Amino acid sequence: MSRHIFSLPILILLSSLGLVDAHNSSVPRCRNVPGAAGFPSTVEWAALNASVAGRLVAVVPTVKFCSSLPGGCTPQQFASSTFLDEIPGAMKQINWEQDYDSVPPSLCLHNSTTCGQGNVPLFAVLAESASDIQKGVDFARANNLRLAVKASGHDYLGRSTAKNSLLISTHKLQSIQFTDDFRVGGDSKGSTVTVGSGVGLDTLYKAARVKGKIVVGGTSATVAAAGGYVQGGGHSSLSPTFGLAADNTLEFTVVLADGSVVTANEVEHADLFWAMRGGGAGSWGVIVSATFQTFPTFNASVSTGFIFSNSSQVMGQVASAHARHIFDWDPFRVGQYFFLAIPDLLQIPDSPGKFVMMVQTFFPNVTVDIATAALQPFFDEATAAGALVTVETIESNINDVLISGDDSVGVNMVMGSRFVPATAYKNSPTTFGDVYTQLLDGGAKGIVGSLVAGGKVAENANIPNAVHPGWRSAKVHLTLVNAWDDSASIDQVHGNETFFMDTQLPLLEKLSGTDAGAYSNEADVLEKNFQDTFFGPNYARLSAIKSKYDPLDLFIVGAGVGSERWDKSGMCKI
């Protein structure tokens, strides 16, 4: 579905670029861009293409790619994660492809009359091996280019794309290898799976099902297990039972900024191994593969409830009821996602209410009858508050439950979040209702609760990794979603981008406290103090490891380790 770069129009474009020597220094302050004296020539790009066996492609925004297809793309394709996986420049939230800040803005939206490149990379290496990655990394370093890395493009902070950059895509790294006796430094770690960094969770769950295994992973079909997911920590409906994904990672194979391929585990490059498990996505190198602990598969009961109301006050009462009952489920080590939103965000076209809360609860090794009985007091209270409640509960193999086939994507969306400690739920459950009502009345499009902490996540506090300590005392990670459609003005877009920090955070802090952290994969890239919020007391050590392995800051992402040294675009030092 991609086109190789050296068609006549591309050659003409590159040949016509002017030369502007903006940085006369042995250590340039800014990355090279088209028109700069140090930007690679057509011949140099062609040499890179030859070195990766023709796997260098020109990258365009999703809408422009679709316009090149006969008949274009259908709305279903625009919303399909599996379809977008095959478009090198596609991000799963399309707003990250846009450059709203340039003058004029560079946008490529549905029904646009013009289509700019936006924040989409210029070229991409569609890597099929560690060698391909090395060639791309070496080329970016030698030519002082902005480098972007993408495994799947499920990135709520826009870190997998960058304007005027060279992209390394690992989507084609699809290897999966199981073993019952994985060894690190001679010590057996038991049953594991080693996956290429392009392998999506659906693919992994299916392969594990055949082996009678399960791994800790999320509920999105096309998120890459060995990409930014695990580098951020990686929560899961199975986390209360087994811990975070980062807690269950045993080894990485990674290409570093100097182009070398290294193994990182508790014996080799142990400091890097520590950093890559929770120290943030995109900051350390390009992952070739990762090895995860596996567990015997099992049956689970999964309850999916929908709670509808036209009243924000009623939904606030539902939120308070949920807070009162949240400890009811601790004996079962459930994982639960509870999402209160406007129906459009949950794609419920004929909703009987202005607001809807979806509550999906995973009960490992529990029957339907027991799961139903455990949840019934909460649902009864929601009904008594005046909400309409529907519930369906099934029992099935956990792999089959987690396999979803595709993800619905393609919207414009940003997030902000905080850990909410268990003490907040114990001490002031009614505050949750007050805050939820205020958030809904204030225009919140979605409030996402992830009950994926406690249990084994708390018990794993002594595992030596860079996971934010806030995970170990949290009960829930609470995320606020702000979304807009393509008709929004630039001012409206910027208003959505800053809404969390300017307006919603003070409300959320009534639940989390003012010094709570946040999960860096589901958060606001504009966090004013991201060092503390995303990394807490680990930041100083992470920064030192970053300087050791990436002294030139080749791997810079928004709100990532070392990004405070760079401007918003990651193009120039500040």
Side-chain angles (χ1 to χ4, degrees), residues 544-563:
I545 294 169
K546 171 75 171 174
S547 296
K548 174 182 175 181
Y549 287 98
D550 185 16
L552 300 179
D553 283 346
L554 190 64
F555 300 108
I556 287 294
V557 297
V561 176
S563 63

Side-chain angles (χ1 to χ4, degrees), residues 219 235-237 240 319 322-323 326 329 334-341 345-346 356-362 415-420 425 432 436 439 445-453 471 474-481 508 511 519 522:
T219 56
H235 69 65
S236 166
S237 58
H322 183 269
I326 200 166
W329 313 310
V334 305
Q336 184 187 85
Y337 297 99
F338 51 104
F339 191 172
L340 175 53
L345 204 60
L346 285 175
V356 56
M357 177 185 276
M358 184 181 76
V359 184
Q360 188 168 55
T361 314
F362 298 78
M415 293 181 169
S417 63
R418 285 296 184 269
F419 297 122
V420 180
Y425 283 93
F432 284 81
Y436 269 61
L439 287 169
K445 299 293 195 303
I447 308 170
V448 185
S450 299
L451 175 53
V452 290
W471 270 116
K475 187 66 177 174
V476 163
H477 186 248
L478 203 59
T479 305
L480 303 181
V481 176
L508 184 53
L511 304 177
Y519 175 43
E522 297 170 3

Side-chain angles (χ1 to χ4, degrees), residues 42 45 48 95 98 136 173 224 267 314 405 415 437 488 506 521 542 570:
T42 303
W45 284 111
L48 173 61
N95 51 296
Q98 319 306 322
L173 300 182
V267 175
V314 169
M415 293 181 169
T437 296
N521 280 348
L542 288 167

Side-chain angles (χ1 to χ4, degrees), residues 201-213:
L201 289 172
D202 250 28
T203 301
L204 180 53
Y205 293 144
K206 290 174 184 176
R209 176 77 160 94
V210 173
K211 299 288 187 178
K213 307 291 185 182

Side-chain angles (χ1 to χ4, degrees), residues 406-427:
D406 201 356
D407 304 311
S408 182
V409 294
V411 299
N412 302 302
M413 185 170 70
V414 291
M415 293 181 169
S417 63
R418 285 296 184 269
F419 297 122
V420 180
T423 52
Y425 283 93
K426 290 177 180 176
N427 297 337

Side-chain angles (χ1 to χ4, degrees), residues 5 63 91 106 114 124 141 161 171 192 202 261 266 307 334 369 386 403 451 459 474 494 514 536 560:
I5 69 169
V63 170
M91 294 290 287
S106 181
T114 60
R141 186 185 65 253
T161 191
H171 173 62
T192 65
D202 250 28
V261 182
E266 63 185 25
I307 304 171
V334 305
D369 288 346
I403 293 168
L451 175 53
E459 292 164 10
H494 288 318
T514 57

Side-chain angles (χ1 to χ4, degrees), residues 62-86:
T62 299
V63 170
K64 187 170 184 178
F65 177 89
C66 286
S67 69
S68 70
L69 301 179
C73 295
T74 66
Q76 293 75 22
Q77 287 172 319
F78 275 119
S80 167
S81 187
T82 56
F83 179 79
L84 296 183
D85 272 347
E86 306 306 320

